[in-house]
Structures are given as C-alpha cells and as structure tokens.
Amino acid sequence: MTLPNLPTLPNIRQQIDSIDEQIQQLINQRAECAKQVALIKRAEDPSIKSFYRPEREAQVLQMVMERQKAAKDSQHDGLAGETVARLFREIMSACLALESPLNIAFLGPNGTFTHAAALKHFGHAALTQPLATIDEVFREVEAQSVNYGVVPVENSSEGVVNHTLDCFMGSSLKIIGEVELRIHQNLLVAEGTQIKNISRIYSHQQSLAQCRKWIDAHFPKVERVAVSSNAEAARLVKGEWHSAAIAGETAAELYGLKKLHENIEDNPNNTTRFLIIGTEDVTPSGDDKTSLIVAAHNEAGALYHILEPFYRHNISLTRIETRPSQNDIWSYVFFIDFEGHQQDPAVKTVLAEIQGRVRELRILGSYPKAVL
C-alpha cells in the first residue's frame, strides 16, 4: 500500500545515502584540518607533546549545543543538543588521535564510572590506562608517562572524595577540566541467567547503598556481596549463572552482560564529578571555574577574611571543603571552587586581596565548566 503525500521508502533511503556521503566527506575535511593544526603547532613548538586544548574543545561543544537548541526552537524537531555534542565529541577524539593519540590514566579497573568519565571527556579514540589508586594516577601524570589523569572528587549523595583532595596538597599538578557523570545503576546478568535462580548480588558497597530500596523491593532475600568495584562485580558475574551485578553501562559493554533492569538507583539525580589533571595552565574558554587551596592563619575570623572578597566582588563560590593540614597539627586548609578564570580582572583582584590574608594560597587551576 502506498501512503498518500509521502515519498517511497527507496527514495528516502537514497536521500539517507546521499546525506551520509556528504557527512563522510565533511568529516574527512575536518580530519585534514586537524592534521594542518598539528603541523602548525609543531612548527611553532617542536617539543610539543599534546595537541589537546581543553578550552577550545569546550567552546566547540558549547557552540554545537547552542546551534542544536536554535535548530530545535525553529523546527520543533531534531536530536537533543547533548546527543549531537556527544557525536562531535567522538569526531574530535578521532581527529585528535590523527595528530597524536592521548594517553589517559584513570582510577580503575576498566568498566568503572571513572572509566566512563574518561571516555565521556576524551572520547573513545583516547588510549585509557586503569590504575589501582588515586595516588598512582597522580604519579603517572607527574612523571609524564601519560598525558592526563581522571579522578573522582565528589558525589552528590556521598560527598567529597577526601583522598583526591589530599593528593593535591602534595602535588604540583593542575586541574585542566571537569566531568559530571549521572550515575545510573543497572542490574546485570550473564546470558542464560534466570531471575528465579539469582541468589546473590555483587557490587561496590556504595552502589549497594545507593540501590538499597530497589533491592529491598525486588530481591529482599538475595545475599548482597560488597566487592572492590562495580567492574569487579561485573567480572565475577560473567562466569556465574546464579548471580547478578549492579554496575554501569561501561561495565555491561566490557563484560558482555545483559541489563535485566535499568536505572535502579534510589536517587535518579545521583551525580559524580570528576577532575581532569595535567601539567599545563588552561586559557579562558568563556565559561570557567577556578580551584584553590588556601591555608589560613590560626586566628578568629580566618575563614571570613578569605570569603569576604568573593562576596564583595560578586564572584560565586561553588564549593568549599576543609581538610587537615599535612604540615601543622590542628591546622586546616580550605579547598575552594568558584566561577570565573584566574585571568579575569575581578578574580585577579580577589586573589591579590586573599594572598595578603593567608599563610599560603595555591591556584590548582582554571578550567572550562563541564559541558556534557
């Protein structure tokens, strides 16, 4: 039956083939431009090791999302802005790999949410290397064995990752970017596993806690086994027919597991923030954050004297954390995140004022806000 006022299926497929050919040609043109960028940069600096520029990539992704929003507003259809930005993320990743593939260390093992954050930020063309501890990620980046590292810093439900903050106190590394990852948990099983046969559920202790209500409602009598990571839970389930794992999408893909139930976390807004660490400073992107470590004098009103200039110059703080000093007993340092770049005039003024009020101030980095 031919539908009225509609083109035939062969005509639509022909259109799709023609569009695909144009897309492919344009991607190849973009790749050629990326090669030329590499040649220009290498001519300017023969010692250059990485062509990655966080501020430039953030600007490109932001423009993609703005164009897509404008297109949807005018046409009332089309893909979501974040969906299109993720496609561009992979195109940029592949083009950058033509210049020089990035080596990225992350808190492993493979299949963890930190692994997913690394792929989200750098794309699948980057070479990722799982490491056992946050300290090891810092050491590998400091030794320049890898280009960058990815470490977790805070979770909206569980709070700050103190180990990451403590590592910054003894390191000269800088924050060059951030990733925000919505934590979606899935119940995974191996092929052939039947629901009625599940006798235990493996996962990291935090994930078991984040899905406690769902487990209570659906598997109240099943044993809950805490393991070192969600990826380890997925690996164990791969070879068992009577168990299940709670883990993310990356672990499911890595170990070839079936998603029995999706998005089983009790808090659907649960989000983890990750930091990208490197050795270089990042120029302004137009929508940035800055992170500081501040060691205050041990006196009344010390914290007030640090925060007051931010209020007076209308600079918004996004986070403040306190950690014990590693040098002085009963002394504390403050980790402060705020909106703006250290090159902004108002930020320069605030930092200069604070410098004279504290024992030590160190800028951990100014970097683009998470786009995706």
Side-chain angles (χ1 to χ4, degrees), residues 50-328:
S50 171
F51 300 100
Y52 173 66
R53 291 294 176 269
E55 70 283 4
R56 171 61 180 161
E57 297 214 351
Q59 289 167 348
V60 171
L61 292 175
Q62 193 63 52
M63 286 189 290
V64 167
M65 295 182 72
E66 289 172 358
R67 285 197 300 264
Q68 193 65 14
K69 182 180 184 302
K72 288 195 69 175
D73 287 346
S74 63
Q75 299 174 10
H76 306 290
D77 57 10
L79 298 173
E82 184 170 331
T83 300
V84 179
R86 286 179 182 274
L87 293 174
F88 270 82
R89 164 72 276 166
E90 293 300 331
I91 291 171
M92 288 192 291
S93 179
C95 289
L96 189 62
L98 290 175
E99 303 169 27
S100 178
L102 291 176
N103 287 281
I104 310 300
F106 67 93
L107 178 63
N110 284 324
T112 60
F113 286 113
T114 311
H115 188 191
L119 294 175
K120 180 180 180 181
H121 190 80
F122 290 102
H124 286 71
L127 305 176
T128 54
Q129 178 182 341
L131 297 174
T133 66
I134 291 172
D135 303 74
E136 287 185 64
V137 177
F138 272 77
R139 283 198 296 270
E140 288 297 293
V141 179
E142 287 170 343
Q144 298 187 22
S145 300
V146 296
N147 298 111
Y148 303 104
V150 182
V151 291
V153 69
E154 63 178 325
N155 176 267
S156 59
S157 299
E158 304 296 331
V160 71
V161 180
N162 289 325
H163 199 164
T164 295
L165 299 186
D166 290 343
C167 283
F168 277 114
M169 286 196 273
S171 173
S172 62
L173 292 180
K174 302 177 186 298
I175 302 172
I176 63 120
E178 66 173 1
V179 187
E180 292 181 352
L181 189 69
R182 187 66 62 84
I183 303 302
H184 290 306
Q185 305 281 11
N186 307 293
L187 189 73
L188 310 178
V189 295
E191 284 295 332
T193 299
Q194 298 181 3
I195 296 179
K196 64 180 180 180
N197 293 328
I198 294 175
S199 59
R200 67 170 63 103
I201 295 175
Y202 296 108
S203 195
H204 188 273
Q205 184 175 354
Q206 283 190 354
S207 295
L208 289 172
Q210 291 169 5
C211 302
R212 179 178 56 82
K213 292 180 181 178
W214 188 91
I215 299 172
D216 288 345
H218 294 82
F219 293 93
K221 297 181 180 180
V222 168
E223 180 186 9
R224 305 171 196 191
V225 182
V227 294
S228 59
S229 69
N230 290 351
E232 173 63 11
R235 187 191 68 79
L236 290 170
V237 166
K238 177 67 175 174
E240 296 184 3
W241 58 269
H242 63 289
S243 63
I246 293 176
E249 181 79 26
T250 303
E253 293 176 357
L254 182 64
Y255 292 100
L257 300 178
K258 176 184 176 183
K259 286 191 284 186
L260 205 58
H261 295 280
E262 298 184 44
N263 303 341
I264 65 172
E265 62 277 1
D266 296 334
N267 178 6
N269 296 316
N270 187 23
T271 301
T272 297
R273 178 173 171 243
F274 301 83
L275 297 178
I276 313 300
I277 54 176
T279 58
E280 72 268 25
D281 288 314
V282 179
T283 57
S285 71
D287 191 15
D288 301 289
K289 281 184 181 178
T290 297
S291 296
L292 308 175
I293 294 180
V294 180
H297 294 294
N298 190 7
E299 61 185 15
L303 181 57
Y304 169 81
H305 289 305
I306 294 171
L307 300 183
E308 186 272 335
F310 289 100
Y311 170 76
R312 185 158 31 88
H313 291 277
N314 197 32
I315 294 176
S316 178
L317 299 179
T318 58
R319 183 175 65 108
I320 181 167
E321 298 288 343
T322 307
R323 294 294 297 151
S325 170
Q326 296 179 343
N327 300 317
D328 301 311

